[in-house]
Amino acid sequence: MARPEQVLLLEPQHELRFRGPFTDVVTTTLKLANPTDRSVCFKVKTTAPRRYCVRPNSGVIDAGTSINVSVMLQPFDYDPNEKSKHKFMVQSLLAPPDMTDTEGVWKDAKPEDLMDSKLRCVFEMPAENEKTHEMESNKISSSLSKSESSTLSMKSMPSSLDDGEVKKIMEECKRLQTEVQRLREENKQIRQEDDGLRMRKSTVMSAPHSSPAVRVKEEGLSARVIALIVLFFVVGVIVGKLAL
């Protein structure tokens, strides 16, 4: 006598797919739905019980409800040349209205009351180009994350100077620029005077009264040049602070 058609709806219907690598536990989900108006007892069996952990592997599905069964494949050494021969079977039967003992129902069940569905196991190992693509995607994502983090940190960085301090520094910078311009003009004038003195010194080398004047001019030139260097240094430090 032929067995009745399976009343439970299985998802997936024919295959349980496990995606590697298989160095750790790989889990797939089997959904069992009961569209009938009666409770249905079920059991999940496999041809390789040591290789799988099934939770729950049996139970009762109330009318109009469903249940998710986790099928966990244990780690193993995958051989692509070896085809999987593992299979699963979902066995079910309609629960009697006055059911109190599930195990007793299974023991008392007649063969013609049992319904079953079979599923085969399929192992999938990611291709090398998929691995490469995933690694490149991870690198790009990491680079973008670092770039966004750097941009956000730059935007969120508080300024070390308030508006009042910036205004004061700008005014001081303008004043120093004016001072530098004035010193440049004076330095130019001193150079012109120094050139004139050197010309007169070459023509009047024997005149003793001209030597002190030349020394005074040269000392004045050295002092102004030093002051000019110091001012350039101060301006550089202030401009550097503004740039930061």
Side-chain angles (χ1 to χ4, degrees):
M1 183 177 179
R3 290 189 177 185
E5 186 178 353
Q6 176 69 268
V7 295
L8 295 179
L9 301 178
L10 279 63
E11 184 181 346
Q13 296 181 354
H14 308 293
E15 295 179 344
L16 290 177
R17 293 185 173 272
F18 299 87
R19 188 173 178 82
F22 303 101
T23 55
D24 200 355
V25 175
V26 180
T27 303
T28 190
T29 302
L30 172 63
K31 182 179 180 181
L32 305 179
N34 178 12
T36 69
D37 56 357
R38 293 180 56 181
S39 296
V40 176
C41 301
F42 76 92
K43 283 186 177 182
V44 180
K45 301 179 179 180
T46 178
T47 57
R50 295 184 179 180
R51 300 285 294 275
Y52 298 89
C53 181
V54 182
R55 293 291 183 273
N57 59 1
S58 64
V60 179
I61 306 175
D62 294 332
T65 63
S66 62
I67 189 171
N68 289 328
V69 177
S70 296
V71 182
M72 293 163 276
L73 173 62
Q74 303 305 303
F76 72 102
D77 295 329
Y78 175 71
D79 184 359
N81 298 320
E82 181 182 354
K83 292 185 178 180
S84 173
K85 297 181 181 179
H86 301 168
K87 293 182 180 180
F88 275 81
M89 182 176 68
V90 178
Q91 200 171 46
S92 63
L93 63 86
L94 295 173
D98 56 348
M99 180 184 66
T100 57
D101 181 14
T102 306
E103 289 300 323
V105 171
W106 283 105
K107 289 180 180 180
D108 297 338
K110 298 177 181 180
E112 58 269 20
D113 295 334
L114 300 177
M115 298 166 283
D116 60 62
S117 299
K118 295 180 181 179
L119 302 94
R120 68 187 187 94
C121 297
V122 178
F123 299 153
E124 296 178 339
M125 180 64 75
E128 291 299 325
N129 57 347
E130 292 183 8
K131 291 182 180 179
T132 304
H133 178 69
E134 290 178 0
M135 291 177 65
E136 291 177 353
S137 299
N138 291 335
K139 289 181 180 180
I140 293 173
S141 299
S142 178
S143 300
L144 289 175
S145 298
K146 290 181 180 179
S147 177
E148 291 176 358
S149 176
S150 176
T151 303
L152 289 174
S153 63
M154 289 295 293
K155 288 182 178 179
S156 61
M157 185 180 296
S159 176
S160 60
L161 298 174
D162 56 24
D163 294 339
E165 292 177 343
V166 171
K167 186 176 180 181
K168 289 180 181 179
I169 292 176
M170 292 295 293
E171 292 176 353
E172 183 68 16
C173 184
K174 290 180 181 179
R175 187 185 68 78
L176 290 174
Q177 288 176 349
T178 304
E179 185 69 17
V180 168
Q181 185 64 30
R182 185 181 65 79
L183 288 174
R184 284 177 179 173
E185 296 294 334
E186 291 185 2
N187 186 44
K188 182 178 180 182
Q189 184 179 356
I190 290 171
R191 286 181 179 177
Q192 292 175 353
E193 293 177 357
D194 184 53
D195 292 340
L197 287 172
R198 288 179 180 177
M199 291 177 65
R200 288 195 295 272
K201 182 178 180 181
S202 61
T203 56
V204 196
M205 288 293 295
S206 59
H209 61 276
S210 62
S211 297
V214 173
R215 286 197 296 271
V216 170
K217 290 290 184 180
E218 290 178 349
E219 290 175 358
L221 176 62
S222 300
R224 291 179 183 276
V225 171
I226 293 173
L228 184 61
I229 293 173
V230 171
L231 283 172
F232 273 122
F233 175 76
V234 173
V235 171
V237 171
I238 293 174
V239 172
K241 288 183 177 181
L242 287 175
L244 293 175

